[in-house]
Amino acid sequence: MPENRVDRSQRIPSGSESANSSEAMISLWDLDLKLLDSSKKFKKHIGLASRNEMTLWEAYPLLAKPALAELIRQVIDTSEPRTIRLDDPRRGKCNVLVSYIRAGLLIVETNGASTKEAPPSEDDEKARLIHQATHDALTGLPNRRQFSSALAQLLPVSGKIGPALMQLDLDDFKPVNDTLGHGAGDIVLKLAAERIKQALGRGGTVYRLAGDEFAVIQVSPQGAFEPEKLANALVAEFKKPFMVNGISLFVGVSVGVAIAPRDGNEGEQLMKAADVALYAAKQEGRRRARTFDPAMLIVVEQRELLRRSLRVALQHDEFFIEYQPLVKPPSIVVGFEALLRWRHPTLGIIPPAAFIPMAEADGLMREIGQWMLEEACREALAWPVHYTLAVNLSPAEFLTQGLTDRISQTLDIVGFPAERLELEITEGVLLERTINNLDTLNTLNVLGIQISLDDFGTEYSSLSYLKNFPFDTIKIDRYFIRDLLQDTKGQTIVRSVISLAHGLDMQVTAEGVETQQQAAWLQAEGCDRLQGYGISPPLSADKLDDFIRQGTRTQSAATFDEFHASP
């Protein structure tokens, strides 16, 4: 970058030195597009008497438009001069000749008022096509093609600190599209793009890669911590709400940071490092920035190991089921919820939260869910005939074709009564295909299967679901039960849900009951069923007989401790 000083050998010509000085306004700009010097006529026309400095965009606002700004960048990059025609409502029509010189940019403006309106030149059309090919149509940001080109030009580097790459992914953007429509989603994307640009200032260039994915290239950061500071500033900006059609929406951002050459000195290497850091940010709860650390690769490698192992887990009989009792207060066992578990041959027990999203993403949940339903129904045949079996359906499984036929056939093959089966779905399922979901739920209802709305209150909680979908039970999420005795707001919410459900002829199950005090409070408020470690932890199939033989009384504290301490 040249120093921001005028090379006097290329100073602006005075009136006697330029034959066109009476017509032309001449200005010289550095490569940061700040004014270095100008002719008297330019100063007078622009009104520089009371100003010490000016940017090119202030002098020529039309040049800040994406298509014309791209032409300015091309002049700098190629050193080829270009004439740009401007039609400013305030200043009239003019032509500006933009040339690259050693000091920066030389701009010569001539009056174009007398020029007839002409069709777009070949250069103008070429510039328009180039802009379309290199910019995102929605946000106007440079696109993936321009991002790849810019990264390739910057790498490799030989210094200690090269460009920093940030991968950005919007958090909770999908619910905006699902609940408010893609029009609202487009508005959020455009607002997000502007918010990122404002936060960056001159600190970097933002690109839209795809969907809600953005990238930032920060060229020549002053220190290793500067990109982290900038990334945290971006996260902070996205803690503010977006206003869309009068509605406040909270869409956060997660950021992964990688710095060349430390984290990679080729484009693909640096992108992989930033992706790994972004994955770490999301795994730690989203709405945060993480800088790449080689230790993160261990987590990614473990995840890939799990992914490969998951594909053969069913064939190797590594899945098993545990059952958590469902109790009618004060102490009557009415059934069990089946909970899927995975025993990895080398890593041990893998929690469902770690492998079920993988199975959904890889299209494995249909096969795994089918196995779980059939296995649980077979084991439930040995229970008392009035006990129900609750089985979770993942969103990926629920949305597959032929679900109701498969469930009906499974019940026929096993010989398990449909009225003893309770299928649990989450609110997120209902956002995908409303009409098909309604048909599926109605068909299951006709078969006599009970339907439970799981994790109520933690996602969208639209009351229209309760009106339009045939649920038998609402499950209050453990989030509202955890601090129930101390949280008066939580108590009000739980009371309201119980009252609402009963008014709609639905039952209520409270999850996450940990203490007898919580159980007593819920019983007093009319909650129909309780579930949680305060009743019993999940039990393996070989311990169910002992539990059932205890009759209708709940477990004593000693028995609870015994089961809780079991591996």
Side-chain angles (χ1 to χ4, degrees):
M1 183 72 69
E3 293 182 348
N4 292 335
R5 294 181 298 189
V6 179
D7 184 341
R8 292 304 171 185
S9 65
Q10 300 186 63
R11 64 186 177 84
I12 302 300
S14 64
S16 61
E17 297 168 322
S18 172
N20 295 323
S21 60
S22 60
E23 301 176 6
M25 292 184 291
I26 306 172
S27 53
L28 182 63
W29 309 80
D30 66 19
L31 293 182
D32 287 331
L33 304 184
K34 292 181 179 179
L35 184 64
L36 293 175
D37 198 1
S38 64
S39 64
K40 291 181 180 180
K41 186 170 183 178
F42 178 88
K43 292 177 181 178
K44 180 179 179 182
H45 189 74
I46 297 297
L48 279 176
S50 61
R51 298 192 55 181
N52 295 324
E53 64 176 29
M54 172 175 282
T55 67
L56 178 64
W57 310 134
E58 292 172 321
Y60 295 100
L62 291 180
L63 291 180
K65 290 186 176 182
L68 298 182
E70 177 64 21
L71 293 180
I72 299 295
R73 282 193 290 270
Q74 288 180 20
V75 171
I76 296 174
D77 293 340
T78 64
S79 301
E80 295 182 3
R82 182 179 293 275
T83 299
I84 302 174
R85 181 172 176 77
L86 301 179
D87 187 357
D88 191 327
R90 296 173 301 173
R91 297 170 54 190
K93 299 176 181 178
C94 66
N95 295 321
V96 291
L97 173 62
V98 184
S99 303
Y100 176 78
I101 59 175
R102 186 169 56 183
L105 286 180
L106 177 68
I107 295 183
V108 179
E109 176 185 341
T110 57
N111 189 348
S114 61
T115 306
K116 297 287 185 179
E117 192 67 39
S121 68
E122 184 177 338
D123 283 348
D124 293 337
E125 181 65 15
K126 180 180 178 181
R128 185 183 66 81
L129 293 175
I130 290 174
H131 184 270
Q132 288 180 347
T134 58
H135 287 75
D136 173 55
L138 177 65
T139 63
L141 295 178
N143 60 14
R144 181 180 288 276
R145 175 181 295 181
Q146 196 167 343
F147 165 77
S148 300
S149 175
L151 204 59
Q153 291 177 6
L154 293 170
L155 299 175
V157 295
S158 56
K160 291 184 178 180
I161 299 180
L165 171 61
M166 303 176 201
Q167 300 275 34
L168 290 74
D169 200 17
L170 301 189
D171 298 319
D172 296 323
F173 174 72
K174 185 175 183 296
V176 175
N177 273 339
D178 291 335
T179 58
L180 300 178
H182 290 279
D186 287 347
I187 294 174
V188 169
L189 288 173
K190 288 190 283 189
L191 293 175
E194 289 300 318
R195 189 169 292 187
I196 295 171
K197 285 197 296 184
Q198 291 175 6
L200 292 177
R202 295 181 180 273
T205 303
V206 57
Y207 305 82
R208 185 187 178 200
L209 303 186
D212 61 348
E213 301 173 18
F214 297 84
V216 169
I217 297 178
Q218 184 184 21
V219 179
S220 301
Q222 298 302 310
F225 294 104
E226 186 180 339
E228 296 180 10
K229 182 179 178 181
L230 181 57
N232 286 321
L234 286 168
V235 171
E237 281 297 315
F238 276 78
K239 291 181 179 179
K240 304 171 186 177
F242 291 92
M243 291 299 299
V244 178
N245 300 327
I247 302 174
S248 295
L249 301 176
F250 288 88
V251 176
V253 68
S254 296
V255 185
V257 182
I259 303 172
R262 181 191 70 189
D263 303 327
N265 210 11
E266 296 178 356
E268 188 173 343
Q269 291 176 336
L270 201 62
M271 288 177 64
K272 180 180 179 181
D275 279 334
V276 169
L278 176 60
Y279 173 76
K282 286 193 170 287
Q283 288 295 105
E284 293 179 13
R286 303 185 301 177
R287 287 177 165 80
R288 65 194 65 210
R290 288 297 311 274
T291 300
F292 175 76
D293 186 311
M296 295 174 179
L297 286 173
I298 298 175
V299 177
V300 174
E301 289 169 358
Q302 288 180 340
R303 178 178 174 83
E304 288 307 307
L305 171 63
L306 285 183
R307 189 181 296 276
R308 292 193 299 270
S309 300
L310 186 60
R311 294 191 180 101
V312 297
L314 192 59
Q315 288 77 12
H316 293 173
D317 295 324
E318 295 171 6
F319 291 116
F320 65 99
I321 301 173
E322 290 186 330
Y323 299 89
Q324 189 166 35
L326 295 163
V327 171
K328 179 179 179 181
S331 58
I332 301 174
V333 178
V334 294
F336 296 90
E337 179 180 354
L339 302 170
L340 182 64
R341 301 289 188 257
W342 178 19
R343 185 182 289 107
H344 191 278
T346 58
L347 300 177
I349 303 299
I350 309 297
F355 72 84
I356 287 181
M358 288 186 191
E360 291 179 332
D362 291 351
L364 302 174
M365 275 313 299
R366 172 174 172 170
E367 188 177 0
I368 295 173
Q370 176 64 30
W371 173 87
M372 180 180 179
L373 178 62
E374 184 172 338
E375 183 72 11
C377 287
R378 290 189 189 280
E379 292 183 342
L381 285 174
W383 303 348
V385 294
H386 62 283
Y387 279 18
T388 60
L389 167 66
V391 178
N392 289 277
L393 285 179
S394 76
E397 185 182 4
F398 188 87
L399 296 173
T400 56
Q401 294 291 330
L403 173 69
T404 55
D405 290 338
R406 291 197 305 275
I407 293 175
S408 179
Q409 290 171 6
T410 300
L411 295 177
D412 290 341
I413 292 172
V414 176
F416 190 75
E419 59 272 14
R420 290 180 57 190
L421 178 62
E422 179 179 336
L423 296 177
E424 298 187 2
I425 66 172
T426 62
E427 295 174 81
V429 169
L430 307 178
L431 295 174
E432 301 293 338
R433 297 198 308 251
T434 303
I435 296 177
N436 288 349
N437 287 343
L438 183 58
D439 291 341
T440 298
L441 292 176
N442 281 326
T443 301
L444 294 172
N445 187 262
V446 169
L447 292 174
I449 298 170
Q450 299 179 60
I451 307 296
S452 177
L453 181 58
D454 199 8
D455 300 335
F456 183 77
T458 60
E459 295 188 44
Y460 310 102
S461 304
S462 173
L463 297 182
S464 64
Y465 300 154
L466 303 183
K467 178 181 177 182
N468 297 322
F469 291 81
F471 296 112
D472 298 285
T473 302
I474 294 176
K475 297 192 74 172
I476 302 176
D477 187 74
R478 65 187 71 247
Y479 170 81
F480 299 101
I481 306 301
R482 185 182 304 119
D483 302 319
L484 182 64
L485 301 181
Q486 298 80 32
D487 185 1
T488 56
K489 292 182 179 179
Q491 292 175 3
T492 301
I493 291 172
V494 172
R495 286 194 187 101
S496 299
V497 173
I498 293 173
S499 176
L500 175 65
H502 289 169
L504 296 172
D505 197 26
M506 301 175 187
Q507 291 192 327
V508 179
T509 298
E511 297 181 292
V513 179
E514 302 288 343
T515 67
Q516 290 300 316
Q517 291 77 12
Q518 291 172 341
W521 190 94
L522 290 163
Q523 179 184 357
E525 294 298 328
C527 188
D528 302 290
R529 296 188 306 184
L530 309 177
Q531 179 182 4
Y533 276 75
I535 309 300
S536 169
L539 307 171
S540 59
D542 58 357
K543 292 185 177 181
L544 286 184
D545 288 343
D546 291 340
F547 185 88
I548 292 173
R549 275 198 295 269
Q550 294 180 37
T552 57
R553 61 186 176 85
T554 55
Q555 296 172 296
S556 65
T559 306
F560 163 70
D561 290 340
E562 175 188 341
F563 280 109
H564 188 63
S566 301

